[in-house]
Amino acid sequence: MSTPSPLAACAPSEERILIIYTGGTIGMEVSPNGLVPSGHFDKRLDQALAQLPLPERQRLPVFDLLSYSTPIDSSAANPMTWQHIAADIGARLSDYRGFVVLHGTDTLSWTAASLAYQLQGLDRPVVVTGAMQPLEIANSDALENIQGALHFAAQSALQEVAIYFAGQLLRGTRAVKQHTEAANAFTSPNYPLLGERVEEDFVYYPSRGLSHQQRGAPRFELPDYAPLAQGEVVRVTLWPGMAAWQLAAWLNDARVRGALLELWGAGNIANDPDIVAAIAAATGEGKLIAAISQAPQGSVHLGAYAAGHDLVEAGVISGDGMTPEAAYTKLIHLLAQPLTEAGRRQQFVTPLVGER
Ligand code: ASP
């Protein structure tokens, strides 16, 4: 862990936020090959904060910074990365009033969704953020995103994993990256914002949060994701003309234990008995297969059309209006635990952390 920020020096630890720096554009520097993950984030953040007007600095909650020794571009993240971050938060939970995770934007919503399943029953905020521009670039969004994340991480009423980005607080299991360039890079297609920046205030909307269902001690589930970190769960997005043999190649590989199918519209698939047979063969072997829509808004209703009806018979579970991130990370999470097949299917259709 890096040295605590000077502002934090005199605050008791339970009044502090822990910032975990994992990498991403927010901390990248220019290299001859393009932007690369970079270290020394503690000093760089202190320098950036020193540029803020004093009243703004003084309003910030105090924090410590934990920098990962090898910051990554989040395109390199995998289930072990999610497990690592969750374990770091779990191990320090009672030491901090809230947590901020600095992360690359490319897979930020995947990590946020996974953290939500692992940190069920959270009794304090975990706010994930990043930036579209490195901290030191003129007019970067980095500092504003860090400030906003810190302000929300200090609000004890927020008791779940959220994403703060460009003035918006989104549920971690409901967010997707929607833009490759704009500062407003994330959206929550099927759930309203949990909060937002209103001028200088960071306003949380508790009626939309999970806090009302967080009773008792946190019920963290921190299973080992290693057996699922080598591609054991696949994501298959349909395209017009997809052949049954192609789907079978994904699903019927002996290493595959689960799959997320991204269907047409309300939950339809080509009228091809061989496709349904490939899916049924996989579920018959106990593989966990869930379906969502490729359309970003709305839900699947398997069986609403004849073109989707056979999927139910083939054992496919409905992912309702879940994001790809929330559905995929939930498959990983459930498959990593010693549940029965029926138990996994039941848990998948049960909202665990407001993901459906
Ligand atoms: N490739 C970067 C990453 O995800 C993009 C970003 O952070 O905006 O780490």
Side-chain angles (χ1 to χ4, degrees):
M1 186 172 323
S2 71
T3 31
S5 104
L7 283 173
C10 45
S13 86
E14 62 279 8
E15 287 178 16
R16 300 181 199 181
I17 310 289
L18 180 65
I19 301 181
I20 301 178
Y21 168 64
T22 70
T25 295
I26 195 164
M28 287 193 185
E29 287 177 325
V30 179
S31 85
N33 297 330
L35 291 172
V36 285
S38 181
H40 307 295
F41 198 77
D42 49 350
K43 293 192 184 61
R44 295 164 57 202
L45 181 57
D46 281 346
Q47 275 168 11
L49 290 171
Q51 313 298 317
L52 290 174
L54 191 60
E56 232 176 285
R57 249 160 67 202
Q58 285 172 333
R59 273 185 67 213
L60 278 179
V62 291
F63 63 87
D64 294 336
L65 182 82
L66 170 63
S67 284
Y68 283 179
S69 53
T70 310
I72 60 167
D73 185 307
S74 79
S75 52
N78 63 33
M80 298 311 294
T81 316
W82 310 335
Q83 177 177 343
H84 186 162
I85 299 170
D88 279 338
I89 294 171
R92 295 165 177 81
L93 190 78
S94 54
D95 297 338
Y96 292 95
R97 66 194 287 202
F99 295 81
V100 169
V101 178
L102 303 181
H103 196 286
T105 64
D106 286 341
T107 66
L108 187 151
S109 47
W110 295 77
T111 295
S114 176
L115 291 178
Y117 297 122
Q118 295 179 82
L119 304 176
Q120 285 178 51
L122 258 183
D123 59 358
R124 62 200 72 198
V126 172
V127 184
V128 189
T129 193
M132 301 303 281
Q133 299 289 337
L135 185 63
E136 286 89 359
I137 298 280
N139 302 319
S140 167
D141 53 339
L143 200 52
E144 200 287 316
N145 284 347
I146 293 171
Q147 286 178 265
L150 281 168
H151 280 294
F152 278 116
Q155 298 195 30
S156 58
L158 175 64
Q159 298 185 355
E160 61 182 286
V161 178
I163 293 173
Y164 179 78
F165 218 89
Q168 301 188 326
L169 189 73
L170 308 94
R171 172 161 295 160
T173 52
R174 293 287 190 154
V176 292
K177 185 171 176 180
Q178 64 163 352
H179 207 292
T180 61
E181 291 148 12
N184 183 10
F186 288 87
T187 187
S188 176
N190 280 336
Y191 197 76
L193 296 179
L194 294 181
E196 59 198 316
R197 179 176 187 156
V198 181
E199 295 177 356
E200 295 314 305
D201 291 327
F202 295 85
V203 184
Y204 169 57
Y205 306 126
S207 63
R208 299 175 184 172
L210 284 183
S211 49
H212 59 280
Q213 73 179 51
Q214 314 287 52
R215 293 199 183 83
R219 309 172 299 281
F220 288 4
E221 293 176 357
L222 301 169
D224 184 10
Y225 283 176
L228 293 149
Q230 301 292 329
E232 286 81 358
V233 178
V234 298
R235 173 187 184 188
V236 186
T237 305
L238 306 190
W239 66 93
M242 183 185 71
W245 67 264
Q246 292 173 308
L247 187 60
W250 285 107
L251 301 186
N252 299 344
D253 187 294
R255 289 165 294 188
V256 167
R257 297 180 51 201
L260 176 64
L261 303 180
E262 295 184 27
L263 309 176
W264 305 123
N268 303 316
I269 196 158
N271 182 16
D272 177 347
D274 290 343
I275 287 187
V276 177
I279 296 171
T283 57
E285 288 172 5
K287 298 181 180 182
L288 195 61
I289 303 199
I292 57 169
S293 178
Q294 293 181 28
Q297 293 191 36
S299 302
V300 288
H301 304 281
L302 298 181
Y305 290 83
H309 178 261
D310 291 348
L311 293 174
V312 181
E313 310 243 299
V316 174
I317 325 167
S318 168
D320 195 33
M322 293 168 82
T323 61
E325 291 88 326
Y328 183 93
T329 57
K330 191 170 186 179
L331 289 174
I332 294 273
H333 188 70
L334 296 178
L335 284 164
Q337 295 184 76
L339 297 166
T340 62
E341 193 187 329
R344 289 193 180 111
R345 295 175 66 86
Q346 179 56 40
Q347 291 260 301
F348 192 86
V349 296
T350 305
L352 301 178
V353 280
E355 74 280 11
R356 60 184 294 160

